[in-house]
Amino acid sequence: EIEAEMARTQKNKATNYHLGTLKAKLARLRSELLIEQGGGGGSSSGEGFDVARLGDARVALIGFPSVGKSTLLSTLTSTESLAANYEFTTLTCV
């Protein structure tokens, strides 16, 4: 029933919240079903499930100069950003 409603709901900015609540409800019901079937947590015989990601996200790192924002971003994303040895010097963006 929930999956059918998700299938017939258009995907746009106005319906994102509704689809998110439906996905959360579906995930909660599935996890309750897995707990009932498995007899508690820690059982590896239960089947897993995924909730698809939707949309884009933006993150801003705000901080003082030369505190490691570019280094942190490079480490987390496994990319390389060029920076010099003086303030305000991130030369390339990720």
Side-chain angles (χ1 to χ4, degrees):
E1 181 179 317
I2 295 173
E3 290 174 336
E5 185 175 347
M6 287 174 60
R8 69 175 175 262
T9 302
Q10 288 184 339
K11 294 178 177 129
N12 57 45
K13 284 185 179 182
T15 61
N16 273 345
Y17 179 78
H18 178 64
L19 286 171
T21 56
L22 289 175
K23 286 180 184 181
K25 189 182 296 185
L26 185 62
R28 183 177 41 84
L29 292 172
R30 284 183 176 170
S31 66
E32 288 174 3
L33 181 65
L34 289 176
I35 290 172
E36 289 175 8
Q37 287 178 351
S43 175
S44 62
S45 62
E47 293 182 21
F49 57 91
D50 290 328
V51 177
R53 293 186 202 173
L54 237 257
D56 296 326
R58 290 186 182 193
V59 176
L61 295 176
I62 300 172
F64 291 106
S66 302
V67 294
K69 296 181 295 288
S70 295
T71 304
L72 175 67
L73 187 60
S74 296
T75 303
L76 292 175
T77 59
S78 299
T79 58
E80 191 159 328
S81 179
L82 297 176
N85 288 331
Y86 47 91
E87 293 181 348
F88 307 107
T89 59
T90 300
L91 304 173
T92 59
C93 296
V94 176

